[in-house]
Amino acid sequence: MRFSISTIIGIILGVSTFMFFVSNVRPVGWFDSLVGMILGVVVFIVVKNFKGFK
């Protein structure tokens, strides 16, 4: 199984987005965790499908 650079960067930015969101929301409930995970997945998909600036 091979990982491309965009996959690795997407994972790092997705996890960072989740951690940033959860660290700024107090107290953290199940819904806040779900929103953080959705934001992380969205960031991962955007980075993975990014083709560059025109």
Side-chain angles (χ1 to χ4, degrees):
M1 186 170 171
R2 295 176 48 114
F3 292 109
S4 66
I5 297 296
S6 64
T7 303
I8 294 170
I9 292 172
I11 291 171
I12 291 170
L13 288 177
V15 170
S16 299
T17 303
F18 172 75
M19 294 302 293
F20 180 75
F21 180 79
V22 170
S23 68
N24 286 323
V25 175
R26 295 284 183 229
V28 178
W30 67 270
F31 185 75
D32 300 322
S33 299
L34 182 66
V35 170
M37 284 187 252
I38 290 171
L39 286 173
V41 169
V42 167
V43 168
F44 173 75
I45 291 171
V46 167
V47 170
K48 186 72 176 150
N49 292 328
F50 181 69
K51 301 294 183 195
F53 296 111
K54 294 185 179 189

Short mmCIF file of all heavy atoms in Angstrom, two decimals:
data_model
loop_
_atom_site.label_atom_id
_atom_site.label_comp_id
_atom_site.label_asym_id
_atom_site.label_seq_id
_atom_site.Cartn_x
_atom_site.Cartn_y
_atom_site.Cartn_z
N MET A 1 0.86 -1.19 0.00
CA MET A 1 0.00 0.00 0.00
C MET A 1 0.89 1.24 0.00
O MET A 1 1.71 1.42 0.89
CB MET A 1 -0.89 -0.02 1.24
CG MET A 1 -1.89 1.05 1.29
SD MET A 1 -3.02 0.70 2.67
CE MET A 1 -3.91 2.19 2.68
N ARG A 2 0.71 2.07 -1.02
CA ARG A 2 1.55 3.25 -1.16
C ARG A 2 0.74 4.51 -0.86
O ARG A 2 -0.43 4.59 -1.21
CB ARG A 2 2.09 3.32 -2.57
CG ARG A 2 3.01 2.17 -2.89
CD ARG A 2 3.47 2.21 -4.31
NE ARG A 2 3.93 3.56 -4.68
CZ ARG A 2 5.17 3.87 -4.99
NH1 ARG A 2 6.08 2.93 -5.00
NH2 ARG A 2 5.49 5.10 -5.32
N PHE A 3 1.40 5.44 -0.21
CA PHE A 3 0.78 6.72 0.11
C PHE A 3 1.44 7.81 -0.72
O PHE A 3 2.66 7.87 -0.81
CB PHE A 3 0.94 7.07 1.60
CG PHE A 3 0.17 6.17 2.51
CD1 PHE A 3 0.82 5.25 3.31
CD2 PHE A 3 -1.20 6.26 2.58
CE1 PHE A 3 0.10 4.43 4.15
CE2 PHE A 3 -1.92 5.45 3.43
CZ PHE A 3 -1.26 4.53 4.21
N SER A 4 0.61 8.66 -1.31
CA SER A 4 1.17 9.79 -2.04
C SER A 4 1.37 10.96 -1.07
O SER A 4 0.90 10.94 0.06
CB SER A 4 0.23 10.20 -3.18
OG SER A 4 -0.98 10.69 -2.66
N ILE A 5 2.08 11.97 -1.56
CA ILE A 5 2.33 13.15 -0.74
C ILE A 5 1.01 13.83 -0.37
O ILE A 5 0.82 14.28 0.76
CB ILE A 5 3.26 14.13 -1.48
CG1 ILE A 5 4.63 13.49 -1.73
CG2 ILE A 5 3.41 15.43 -0.73
CD1 ILE A 5 5.38 13.16 -0.47
N SER A 6 0.06 13.89 -1.32
CA SER A 6 -1.21 14.56 -1.03
C SER A 6 -2.01 13.79 0.03
O SER A 6 -2.72 14.40 0.82
CB SER A 6 -2.05 14.71 -2.31
OG SER A 6 -2.39 13.45 -2.84
N THR A 7 -1.88 12.47 0.06
CA THR A 7 -2.57 11.69 1.09
C THR A 7 -1.99 11.99 2.47
O THR A 7 -2.73 12.20 3.43
CB THR A 7 -2.45 10.18 0.80
OG1 THR A 7 -2.98 9.92 -0.49
CG2 THR A 7 -3.20 9.36 1.83
N ILE A 8 -0.67 12.02 2.56
CA ILE A 8 -0.01 12.29 3.85
C ILE A 8 -0.34 13.70 4.33
O ILE A 8 -0.68 13.91 5.50
CB ILE A 8 1.50 12.07 3.72
CG1 ILE A 8 1.78 10.59 3.44
CG2 ILE A 8 2.23 12.52 4.98
CD1 ILE A 8 3.19 10.28 3.07
N ILE A 9 -0.26 14.69 3.43
CA ILE A 9 -0.58 16.07 3.81
C ILE A 9 -2.05 16.18 4.19
O ILE A 9 -2.40 16.87 5.14
CB ILE A 9 -0.21 17.03 2.66
CG1 ILE A 9 1.30 17.08 2.50
CG2 ILE A 9 -0.77 18.43 2.93
CD1 ILE A 9 1.77 17.84 1.30
N GLY A 10 -2.94 15.49 3.46
CA GLY A 10 -4.36 15.51 3.78
C GLY A 10 -4.65 14.93 5.15
O GLY A 10 -5.47 15.46 5.90
N ILE A 11 -3.99 13.83 5.49
CA ILE A 11 -4.17 13.23 6.81
C ILE A 11 -3.70 14.18 7.91
O ILE A 11 -4.40 14.39 8.90
CB ILE A 11 -3.44 11.87 6.90
CG1 ILE A 11 -4.14 10.84 6.00
CG2 ILE A 11 -3.36 11.38 8.33
CD1 ILE A 11 -3.38 9.55 5.85
N ILE A 12 -2.53 14.77 7.70
CA ILE A 12 -1.98 15.69 8.71
C ILE A 12 -2.89 16.90 8.89
O ILE A 12 -3.21 17.29 10.03
CB ILE A 12 -0.56 16.12 8.33
CG1 ILE A 12 0.40 14.93 8.46
CG2 ILE A 12 -0.08 17.28 9.19
CD1 ILE A 12 1.77 15.17 7.89
N LEU A 13 -3.36 17.50 7.79
CA LEU A 13 -4.23 18.67 7.89
C LEU A 13 -5.61 18.31 8.44
O LEU A 13 -6.22 19.09 9.18
CB LEU A 13 -4.36 19.36 6.54
CG LEU A 13 -3.12 20.11 6.05
CD1 LEU A 13 -3.36 20.68 4.67
CD2 LEU A 13 -2.75 21.20 7.02
N GLY A 14 -6.12 17.13 8.09
CA GLY A 14 -7.41 16.69 8.63
C GLY A 14 -7.37 16.49 10.13
O GLY A 14 -8.26 16.93 10.86
N VAL A 15 -6.31 15.84 10.60
CA VAL A 15 -6.16 15.62 12.05
C VAL A 15 -5.93 16.95 12.76
O VAL A 15 -6.48 17.19 13.84
CB VAL A 15 -5.01 14.62 12.32
CG1 VAL A 15 -4.66 14.57 13.79
CG2 VAL A 15 -5.39 13.24 11.82
N SER A 16 -5.15 17.83 12.14
CA SER A 16 -4.92 19.15 12.74
C SER A 16 -6.21 19.96 12.84
O SER A 16 -6.44 20.63 13.84
CB SER A 16 -3.89 19.93 11.92
OG SER A 16 -2.67 19.24 11.89
N THR A 17 -7.05 19.88 11.80
CA THR A 17 -8.34 20.57 11.83
C THR A 17 -9.21 20.04 12.95
O THR A 17 -9.83 20.81 13.69
CB THR A 17 -9.06 20.42 10.48
OG1 THR A 17 -8.21 20.90 9.45
CG2 THR A 17 -10.38 21.15 10.47
N PHE A 18 -9.26 18.71 13.09
CA PHE A 18 -10.05 18.10 14.17
C PHE A 18 -9.54 18.55 15.53
O PHE A 18 -10.32 18.96 16.39
CB PHE A 18 -10.00 16.58 14.06
CG PHE A 18 -10.63 15.88 15.22
CD1 PHE A 18 -12.00 15.84 15.36
CD2 PHE A 18 -9.84 15.28 16.19
CE1 PHE A 18 -12.59 15.19 16.44
CE2 PHE A 18 -10.41 14.64 17.27
CZ PHE A 18 -11.79 14.59 17.39
N MET A 19 -8.23 18.49 15.73
CA MET A 19 -7.66 18.87 17.03
C MET A 19 -7.88 20.35 17.33
O MET A 19 -8.18 20.72 18.46
CB MET A 19 -6.16 18.54 17.07
CG MET A 19 -5.86 17.05 17.01
SD MET A 19 -6.62 16.10 18.33
CE MET A 19 -5.72 16.72 19.72
N PHE A 20 -7.74 21.20 16.31
CA PHE A 20 -7.95 22.64 16.51
C PHE A 20 -9.40 22.93 16.89
O PHE A 20 -9.67 23.71 17.80
CB PHE A 20 -7.56 23.40 15.25
CG PHE A 20 -7.75 24.89 15.36
CD1 PHE A 20 -6.85 25.64 16.10
CD2 PHE A 20 -8.81 25.53 14.75
CE1 PHE A 20 -7.01 27.01 16.22
CE2 PHE A 20 -8.98 26.89 14.86
CZ PHE A 20 -8.07 27.64 15.60
N PHE A 21 -10.34 22.27 16.20
CA PHE A 21 -11.76 22.49 16.50
C PHE A 21 -12.10 22.01 17.91
O PHE A 21 -12.75 22.72 18.68
CB PHE A 21 -12.63 21.78 15.47
CG PHE A 21 -14.11 21.96 15.72
CD1 PHE A 21 -14.74 23.13 15.36
CD2 PHE A 21 -14.86 20.97 16.32
CE1 PHE A 21 -16.09 23.31 15.59
CE2 PHE A 21 -16.21 21.14 16.55
CZ PHE A 21 -16.83 22.31 16.19
N VAL A 22 -11.66 20.81 18.25
CA VAL A 22 -12.00 20.23 19.56
C VAL A 22 -11.33 21.01 20.68
O VAL A 22 -11.91 21.19 21.75
CB VAL A 22 -11.63 18.73 19.58
CG1 VAL A 22 -11.73 18.16 20.98
CG2 VAL A 22 -12.53 17.96 18.64
N SER A 23 -10.11 21.51 20.46
CA SER A 23 -9.43 22.24 21.52
C SER A 23 -10.06 23.61 21.77
O SER A 23 -9.91 24.16 22.86
CB SER A 23 -7.95 22.42 21.19
OG SER A 23 -7.80 23.28 20.09
N ASN A 24 -10.78 24.15 20.78
CA ASN A 24 -11.43 25.46 20.97
C ASN A 24 -12.88 25.38 21.41
O ASN A 24 -13.50 26.41 21.64
CB ASN A 24 -11.34 26.26 19.66
CG ASN A 24 -9.95 26.76 19.42
OD1 ASN A 24 -9.25 27.14 20.34
ND2 ASN A 24 -9.53 26.75 18.17
N VAL A 25 -13.42 24.18 21.54
CA VAL A 25 -14.81 24.01 21.97
C VAL A 25 -14.79 23.41 23.37
O VAL A 25 -14.25 22.33 23.58
CB VAL A 25 -15.58 23.08 21.00
CG1 VAL A 25 -16.97 22.81 21.50
CG2 VAL A 25 -15.63 23.68 19.62
N ARG A 26 -15.37 24.11 24.31
CA ARG A 26 -15.44 23.60 25.69
C ARG A 26 -16.85 23.72 26.19
O ARG A 26 -17.45 24.77 26.01
CB ARG A 26 -14.51 24.39 26.62
CG ARG A 26 -13.07 24.24 26.30
CD ARG A 26 -12.54 22.90 26.76
NE ARG A 26 -11.11 22.82 26.49
CZ ARG A 26 -10.54 21.80 25.90
NH1 ARG A 26 -11.25 20.79 25.50
NH2 ARG A 26 -9.26 21.79 25.69
N PRO A 27 -17.43 22.77 26.84
CA PRO A 27 -17.01 21.38 26.95
C PRO A 27 -17.29 20.63 25.65
O PRO A 27 -18.17 21.00 24.88
CB PRO A 27 -17.87 20.84 28.08
CG PRO A 27 -19.12 21.65 28.01
CD PRO A 27 -18.69 23.03 27.55
N VAL A 28 -16.54 19.58 25.42
CA VAL A 28 -16.67 18.80 24.18
C VAL A 28 -17.66 17.67 24.41
O VAL A 28 -17.47 16.83 25.28
CB VAL A 28 -15.30 18.24 23.75
CG1 VAL A 28 -15.46 17.38 22.50
CG2 VAL A 28 -14.32 19.36 23.50
N GLY A 29 -18.70 17.66 23.62
CA GLY A 29 -19.69 16.59 23.68
C GLY A 29 -19.59 15.71 22.46
O GLY A 29 -18.70 15.87 21.62
N TRP A 30 -20.52 14.78 22.34
CA TRP A 30 -20.46 13.86 21.20
C TRP A 30 -20.72 14.58 19.89
O TRP A 30 -20.11 14.26 18.86
CB TRP A 30 -21.46 12.72 21.39
CG TRP A 30 -22.90 13.15 21.34
CD1 TRP A 30 -23.67 13.55 22.39
CD2 TRP A 30 -23.72 13.26 20.17
NE1 TRP A 30 -24.92 13.91 21.94
CE2 TRP A 30 -24.99 13.72 20.59
CE3 TRP A 30 -23.53 12.99 18.82
CZ2 TRP A 30 -26.03 13.93 19.71
CZ3 TRP A 30 -24.58 13.21 17.94
CH2 TRP A 30 -25.81 13.67 18.38
N PHE A 31 -21.59 15.60 19.90
CA PHE A 31 -21.89 16.34 18.67
C PHE A 31 -20.69 17.16 18.22
O PHE A 31 -20.40 17.25 17.02
CB PHE A 31 -23.12 17.23 18.88
CG PHE A 31 -23.55 17.93 17.63
CD1 PHE A 31 -24.21 17.23 16.63
CD2 PHE A 31 -23.29 19.28 17.45
CE1 PHE A 31 -24.60 17.87 15.45
CE2 PHE A 31 -23.67 19.93 16.29
CZ PHE A 31 -24.34 19.22 15.30
N ASP A 32 -19.99 17.77 19.17
CA ASP A 32 -18.79 18.54 18.82
C ASP A 32 -17.71 17.63 18.22
O ASP A 32 -17.03 18.02 17.28
CB ASP A 32 -18.24 19.25 20.05
CG ASP A 32 -19.24 20.22 20.64
OD1 ASP A 32 -19.96 20.87 19.86
OD2 ASP A 32 -19.33 20.31 21.87
N SER A 33 -17.57 16.44 18.75
CA SER A 33 -16.61 15.49 18.19
C SER A 33 -17.01 15.07 16.78
O SER A 33 -16.16 14.94 15.89
CB SER A 33 -16.50 14.25 19.08
OG SER A 33 -16.05 14.59 20.36
N LEU A 34 -18.30 14.88 16.58
CA LEU A 34 -18.80 14.50 15.25
C LEU A 34 -18.55 15.62 14.23
O LEU A 34 -18.09 15.36 13.12
CB LEU A 34 -20.29 14.18 15.33
CG LEU A 34 -20.96 13.73 14.03
CD1 LEU A 34 -20.39 12.38 13.61
CD2 LEU A 34 -22.46 13.63 14.22
N VAL A 35 -18.81 16.86 14.63
CA VAL A 35 -18.57 18.00 13.74
C VAL A 35 -17.07 18.11 13.43
O VAL A 35 -16.68 18.36 12.29
CB VAL A 35 -19.10 19.32 14.36
CG1 VAL A 35 -18.64 20.52 13.57
CG2 VAL A 35 -20.61 19.28 14.43
N GLY A 36 -16.23 17.91 14.43
CA GLY A 36 -14.78 17.94 14.22
C GLY A 36 -14.33 16.86 13.26
O GLY A 36 -13.48 17.10 12.39
N MET A 37 -14.89 15.66 13.38
CA MET A 37 -14.53 14.58 12.45
C MET A 37 -14.99 14.89 11.03
O MET A 37 -14.26 14.63 10.07
CB MET A 37 -15.13 13.26 12.92
CG MET A 37 -14.40 12.65 14.09
SD MET A 37 -15.01 11.02 14.46
CE MET A 37 -15.88 11.34 15.96
N ILE A 38 -16.19 15.47 10.90
CA ILE A 38 -16.70 15.83 9.58
C ILE A 38 -15.80 16.90 8.95
O ILE A 38 -15.46 16.82 7.77
CB ILE A 38 -18.17 16.29 9.66
CG1 ILE A 38 -19.06 15.09 9.99
CG2 ILE A 38 -18.61 16.95 8.37
CD1 ILE A 38 -20.50 15.45 10.31
N LEU A 39 -15.40 17.90 9.73
CA LEU A 39 -14.49 18.92 9.22
C LEU A 39 -13.15 18.32 8.79
O LEU A 39 -12.60 18.69 7.75
CB LEU A 39 -14.26 20.00 10.29
CG LEU A 39 -15.39 20.97 10.54
CD1 LEU A 39 -15.06 21.87 11.73
CD2 LEU A 39 -15.66 21.80 9.32
N GLY A 40 -12.64 17.39 9.58
CA GLY A 40 -11.38 16.72 9.23
C GLY A 40 -11.49 15.94 7.93
O GLY A 40 -10.59 15.98 7.09
N VAL A 41 -12.60 15.24 7.74
CA VAL A 41 -12.81 14.47 6.51
C VAL A 41 -12.96 15.41 5.31
O VAL A 41 -12.40 15.15 4.24
CB VAL A 41 -14.04 13.55 6.65
CG1 VAL A 41 -14.44 12.95 5.32
CG2 VAL A 41 -13.76 12.45 7.66
N VAL A 42 -13.67 16.52 5.50
CA VAL A 42 -13.83 17.49 4.41
C VAL A 42 -12.47 18.06 4.00
O VAL A 42 -12.16 18.17 2.81
CB VAL A 42 -14.82 18.60 4.80
CG1 VAL A 42 -14.76 19.76 3.83
CG2 VAL A 42 -16.22 18.04 4.89
N VAL A 43 -11.65 18.42 4.98
CA VAL A 43 -10.32 18.96 4.68
C VAL A 43 -9.48 17.90 3.96
O VAL A 43 -8.79 18.20 2.98
CB VAL A 43 -9.62 19.44 5.96
CG1 VAL A 43 -8.15 19.71 5.72
CG2 VAL A 43 -10.31 20.67 6.50
N PHE A 44 -9.55 16.64 4.40
CA PHE A 44 -8.81 15.57 3.74
C PHE A 44 -9.23 15.41 2.29
O PHE A 44 -8.39 15.31 1.39
CB PHE A 44 -9.00 14.25 4.49
CG PHE A 44 -8.39 13.07 3.78
CD1 PHE A 44 -7.03 12.88 3.79
CD2 PHE A 44 -9.19 12.18 3.08
CE1 PHE A 44 -6.46 11.81 3.13
CE2 PHE A 44 -8.63 11.10 2.42
CZ PHE A 44 -7.26 10.92 2.44
N ILE A 45 -10.53 15.42 2.03
CA ILE A 45 -11.04 15.24 0.66
C ILE A 45 -10.63 16.42 -0.22
O ILE A 45 -10.23 16.23 -1.38
CB ILE A 45 -12.57 15.05 0.67
CG1 ILE A 45 -12.91 13.70 1.31
CG2 ILE A 45 -13.15 15.15 -0.73
CD1 ILE A 45 -14.38 13.49 1.57
N VAL A 46 -10.70 17.64 0.32
CA VAL A 46 -10.32 18.82 -0.46
C VAL A 46 -8.83 18.77 -0.81
O VAL A 46 -8.44 19.03 -1.95
CB VAL A 46 -10.67 20.11 0.30
CG1 VAL A 46 -10.00 21.33 -0.32
CG2 VAL A 46 -12.17 20.30 0.35
N VAL A 47 -7.99 18.42 0.16
CA VAL A 47 -6.55 18.34 -0.11
C VAL A 47 -6.25 17.21 -1.08
O VAL A 47 -5.42 17.35 -1.99
CB VAL A 47 -5.77 18.16 1.21
CG1 VAL A 47 -4.31 17.83 0.95
CG2 VAL A 47 -5.87 19.42 2.06
N LYS A 48 -6.92 16.09 -0.95
CA LYS A 48 -6.68 14.94 -1.82
C LYS A 48 -7.07 15.24 -3.26
O LYS A 48 -6.39 14.80 -4.19
CB LYS A 48 -7.46 13.73 -1.30
CG LYS A 48 -7.20 12.46 -2.00
CD LYS A 48 -5.85 11.92 -1.66
CE LYS A 48 -5.69 10.56 -2.33
NZ LYS A 48 -4.33 10.29 -2.65
N ASN A 49 -8.14 16.02 -3.48
CA ASN A 49 -8.61 16.32 -4.83
C ASN A 49 -8.06 17.62 -5.39
O ASN A 49 -8.42 18.00 -6.49
CB ASN A 49 -10.14 16.38 -4.84
CG ASN A 49 -10.74 15.02 -4.59
OD1 ASN A 49 -10.18 14.01 -4.97
ND2 ASN A 49 -11.88 14.99 -3.92
N PHE A 50 -7.17 18.29 -4.65
CA PHE A 50 -6.63 19.57 -5.09
C PHE A 50 -5.68 19.34 -6.26
O PHE A 50 -4.76 18.54 -6.21
CB PHE A 50 -5.87 20.24 -3.93
CG PHE A 50 -5.30 21.58 -4.27
CD1 PHE A 50 -6.13 22.65 -4.48
CD2 PHE A 50 -3.94 21.74 -4.36
CE1 PHE A 50 -5.60 23.89 -4.78
CE2 PHE A 50 -3.40 22.98 -4.67
CZ PHE A 50 -4.23 24.05 -4.88
N LYS A 51 -5.92 20.06 -7.36
CA LYS A 51 -5.11 19.88 -8.58
C LYS A 51 -4.14 21.02 -8.81
O LYS A 51 -3.35 20.98 -9.74
CB LYS A 51 -6.04 19.77 -9.80
CG LYS A 51 -7.01 18.63 -9.74
CD LYS A 51 -6.30 17.30 -9.76
CE LYS A 51 -7.33 16.19 -9.77
NZ LYS A 51 -6.80 14.90 -9.45
N GLY A 52 -4.19 22.05 -7.99
CA GLY A 52 -3.28 23.18 -8.15
C GLY A 52 -4.01 24.42 -8.61
O GLY A 52 -5.16 24.38 -9.03
N PHE A 53 -3.32 25.53 -8.53
CA PHE A 53 -3.90 26.80 -8.95
C PHE A 53 -3.69 26.99 -10.44
O PHE A 53 -2.69 26.58 -11.01
CB PHE A 53 -3.24 27.97 -8.19
CG PHE A 53 -3.50 27.93 -6.72
CD1 PHE A 53 -2.48 27.65 -5.83
CD2 PHE A 53 -4.76 28.16 -6.22
CE1 PHE A 53 -2.71 27.63 -4.48
CE2 PHE A 53 -5.01 28.13 -4.87
CZ PHE A 53 -3.97 27.87 -3.99
N LYS A 54 -4.66 27.62 -11.10
CA LYS A 54 -4.56 27.86 -12.54
C LYS A 54 -4.02 29.22 -12.83
O LYS A 54 -4.16 30.13 -12.14
CB LYS A 54 -5.93 27.69 -13.19
CG LYS A 54 -6.43 26.29 -13.11
CD LYS A 54 -7.72 26.14 -13.87
CE LYS A 54 -8.15 24.68 -13.77
NZ LYS A 54 -9.25 24.34 -14.60
#
